[in-house]
Amino acid sequence: MNYAALFGGAPETAPPTPPAPVAAYRLMFVDDEPGVLSALRRVFRQENYALSLAGNAAEALSLMEREPPFHLVISDFKMPGMHGADFLREVRKRSPATMRIMLTGQADTEAVMGAIKEGAVYRFILKPWNDDDLRVTVALALEQYELLDKNRRLEATSERQSRDLATMAKMSVSNRSQLAILLHKKGLVNAQQLQQLHKDMQGKKQPMIALLLDKGWLSEGKIVELLRKELLFEEVDLAETALDPAVVALVPRVLCLRQLILPLRVAGKRLKLAMADPMDMGLIEELGFSTGLQIHPVLARHSTLKDKLKEFFGEGSSDIHDLATIADLSDPFESIELVIEEDEAVDIEDLLASTDEPPAIRLVNAVIMEALRLRASDIHLQPRAKCTVVRYRIDGVLTDKLQIPSNLHQSVISRIKVMSELDITERRKPQDGRITVKTPLRIVDLRISTLPTLNGEKVVMRVLDRGGAVSHIEQLGLSEANAAKLAHVVTKPQGMILATGPTGSGKTTTLYAMLQHNASPQKNYVTIEDPVEFYMDMAGQVPVKERVGLSFATVLRAILRQDPDVILLGEIRDTETAEVAFHAAMTGHVVYSTLHTNSAVATVARLLDLGLKPFIIAAALEAVIAQRLLRRLCPHCRHEAPPPKTVLEQLGAGYEATDFPFFEAPGCGQCTKGYSGRVGIYEILSLDETLREAITQGEPAHKLLGLATARGMSTLLEDAHDKLAQGLTTAEEILRVFGAQRLI
């Protein structure tokens, strides 16, 4: 990166004589104190920036209307009228590309952090500032502006190229090959076979020659002989032909692979094109139009052409860009290597040296920073045959984001192992570790897990935001009935309260919201977690460390001697932990914990499976909260859509007869494929005497469910239906999370 360019630059076109200095970046400072504005002007007086000053938010917004867009805005927080956080939100709304920095002394911390979490503020700087630090911060912000601007341009280019590629790919739909008709005229295929070939060609969108050979009606040699002798097509030997990458690039890769064609040579305005089916005149006309060249088709054998395409492009799918594939045109016998098992000694110096290579450091940092920017909950580094794929779980869904060449895989894995203090020489056993990453605005813990696979070690990193704010009960998205139930549950002076659901369903968030609800210094709060996901000053938080013997049960027994009032137990994993936890709940403590079950009533069966007695469960259990997370529709690009009848039928009773409006979102710059964030759905089972009696008598789950619903419990599917009626999510998302409830 040319950092000097951030402090000045030359104009894109030569200015008229005499040359006038042109500022590379436009900056605006907003503060109600003239002395602060003068100081900011002084700090940047030697830099080649165009500076604009404003005394309040209204004056600054007026400047934005009259002048060209600003690259960066620095605003004070406390100002008359509109304060800095609201002002920067308005700046983002009017000019999303503008970088925004808040300059503040004593401010409303919640308002400042809220603006940062919303993305309205890039960074904040405390008064009084250090001049050098301020210059560096501005330079980094402008560097970020350039990177984002470059990404936007690349995305626009990629989108345009994708449209062009899609247009080219559609040529396969309009195949007008005369090969089958010629074969029919020669008596080599009958009328029924001819009809079947054309039907398959339109349905499968495959070249006619490929369909013929797949069916085995004719040999390749007979077809080639007919085309060469009857129609005098020139046959080319691709095995002896050297390819020019620049010529091959004239036709999109996906089209070459799909249509079995390969550009060979350009002479003047003529493009020599190897084709398995040179009688596809529709394709020849389209290629001539798109390339601006006259197409000269030559005949190539189907098998030879496929081998040559595979040799040049690699064996990957035509729809996925394989970044690690490099054409290897050497003698195949020279590339054979002896495979040695990994029981041999590993040179640890070489491994450590590889982790210090700049590509490995930059790649690992980029992968982590991009995950934080996209709000990913998990990072997957999955080795494949020719590359390592970086995948992010965003809003509960895995998405491929990057492909790393295979030759960098071991360096990247070793770098992560060094950061998490794992054994880099051990590549045959799974390992677990942790990394704490500090960024300018966030501190996150990464829980590392390695797993040996056929293609190399796979690494999964769980992202835990140490600075993540604990949600309030009001922010959980509960319905009125469920909110009333939960408000009643948290007033219990003792007992067990369980949050259930699969991994990543927000159980810990719900428990912390309940833990801090009406939190009082008069109580002793203790948490036991693996690892600690939220930080709470009022609580004594203990991380589980199995390696040194600190298991859930061991720590829980120790905590009971620490005079606790409220205990948060990260998870009930085994019988020992369950027994100690329920004993604590029956001896005057409030215990919050999680369990992996599919519904609230299924929790009773799971506790029985752990070995607890029915009367203990009935006596200690106060409530069970089953929950899931659904992706939330983006409010910026959502629009009304017709109801998906088939999906509603699969979701079963309660969904088919809905008459409220449905919504969908195509996706925009502020969301991920139409979704932004997630919304919780809940099923709250609050125990009364009737339910306790049923549990004590060992009633099955379906009877417990009937008793609970008769007492007003809404199921997960019913709560999801309410969120669908509010336009917060889609029926397809509910089907993704719950699966089909009825066969159709």
Side-chain angles (χ1 to χ4, degrees), residues 77-78 83 85 102 104-115:
F77 178 78
K78 286 190 174 181
H83 63 66
M102 184 178 290
T104 181
Q106 295 180 351
D108 184 346
T109 305
E110 289 189 5
V112 173
M113 294 307 297

Side-chain angles (χ1 to χ4, degrees), residues 528-530 542-559 569 571 573-574 576-577 580:
I528 314 168
E529 298 174 79
D530 182 24
V542 183
V544 170
K545 297 180 180 178
E546 298 280 358
R547 296 178 182 174
V548 295
L550 281 179
S551 63
F552 277 108
T554 303
V555 177
L556 184 55
R557 285 195 179 92
I559 283 176
L569 182 63
E571 183 182 351
R573 295 180 177 176
D574 49 45
E576 183 183 10
T577 306
V580 178

Side-chain angles (χ1 to χ4, degrees), residues 344-520:
E344 58 183 354
V346 179
D347 190 345
I348 191 170
E349 293 183 3
D350 291 344
L351 289 175
L352 285 171
S354 69
T355 67
D356 293 329
E357 294 177 359
I361 296 174
R362 287 198 302 268
L363 270 173
V364 173
N365 291 347
V367 165
I368 295 173
M369 292 300 294
E370 182 69 2
L372 298 184
R373 185 184 72 82
L374 295 173
R375 301 176 293 104
S377 61
D378 297 87
I379 308 169
H380 291 235
L381 278 76
Q382 184 166 340
R384 293 180 178 167
K386 295 187 177 180
C387 64
T388 296
V389 180
V390 179
R391 313 173 75 196
Y392 295 139
R393 188 176 294 280
I394 303 171
D395 293 336
V397 178
L398 270 176
T399 306
D400 290 3
K401 285 294 182 182
L402 177 68
Q403 292 185 3
I404 299 174
S406 292
N407 62 325
L408 291 176
H409 173 77
Q410 193 55 53
S411 298
V412 169
I413 300 302
S414 297
R415 172 67 181 172
I416 293 173
K417 284 185 175 181
V418 169
M419 293 170 67
S420 53
E421 298 182 352
L422 299 179
D423 184 358
I424 64 174
T425 64
E426 181 57 77
R427 290 181 282 182
R428 298 166 298 176
K429 297 179 181 178
Q431 298 187 67
D432 295 317
R434 290 175 187 163
I435 306 173
T436 299
V437 177
K438 182 179 180 181
T439 68
L441 295 178
R442 298 170 64 187
I443 299 179
V444 298
D445 289 329
L446 301 177
R447 187 167 60 185
I448 312 299
S449 173
T450 70
L451 182 70
T453 69
L454 186 64
N455 296 318
E457 283 186 287
K458 178 184 178 181
V459 171
V460 175
M461 295 183 271
R462 167 65 60 88
V463 182
L464 303 171
D465 192 350
R466 180 182 291 186
V470 178
S471 299
H472 297 279
I473 288 180
E474 295 78 10
Q475 298 173 322
L476 295 177
L478 295 160
S479 64
E480 290 186 12
N482 283 338
K485 286 185 179 181
L486 204 60
H488 173 71
V489 167
V490 295
T491 61
K492 298 287 184 180
Q494 66 181 39
M496 172 69 71
I497 300 169
L498 292 172
T500 70
T503 302
S505 59
K507 300 186 295 296
T508 305
T509 301
T510 300
L511 292 184
Y512 264 99
M514 299 170 67
L515 185 68
Q516 74 155 14
H517 185 72
N518 294 332
S520 168

Side-chain angles (χ1 to χ4, degrees), residues 262-367:
L262 187 60
L264 300 179
R265 190 175 300 105
V266 175
K269 289 291 185 179
R270 288 170 60 88
L271 171 61
K272 189 174 183 180
L273 183 70
M275 304 180 69
D277 182 6
M279 295 192 68
D280 191 346
M281 301 310 298
L283 178 61
I284 292 172
E285 291 173 6
E286 294 287 354
L287 285 174
F289 176 78
S290 62
T291 61
L293 300 172
Q294 182 182 353
I295 305 299
H296 172 53
V298 294
L299 177 63
R301 290 181 178 265
H302 177 270
S303 55
T304 308
L305 185 53
K306 286 188 69 174
D307 291 341
K308 197 69 173 181
L309 287 168
K310 185 183 296 185
E311 180 185 80
F312 187 83
F313 290 117
E315 298 183 3
S317 169
S318 61
D319 295 324
I320 299 177
H321 297 284
D322 192 345
L323 302 183
T325 301
I326 301 174
D328 183 5
L329 304 180
S330 59
D331 186 341
F333 293 100
E334 295 178 358
S335 63
I336 294 177
E337 299 177 0
L338 180 63
V339 178
I340 302 175
E341 296 294 333
E342 292 188 357
D343 293 332
E344 58 183 354
V346 179
D347 190 345
I348 191 170
E349 293 183 3
D350 291 344
L351 289 175
L352 285 171
S354 69
T355 67
D356 293 329
E357 294 177 359
I361 296 174
R362 287 198 302 268
L363 270 173
V364 173
N365 291 347
V367 165

Side-chain angles (χ1 to χ4, degrees), residues 141-155:
L142 292 174
E143 178 185 358
Q144 185 75 5
Y145 175 90
E146 289 293 342
L147 290 173
L148 292 173
D149 185 59
K150 183 178 180 181
N151 283 342
R152 282 189 292 270
R153 292 197 302 269
L154 288 174
E155 286 175 1

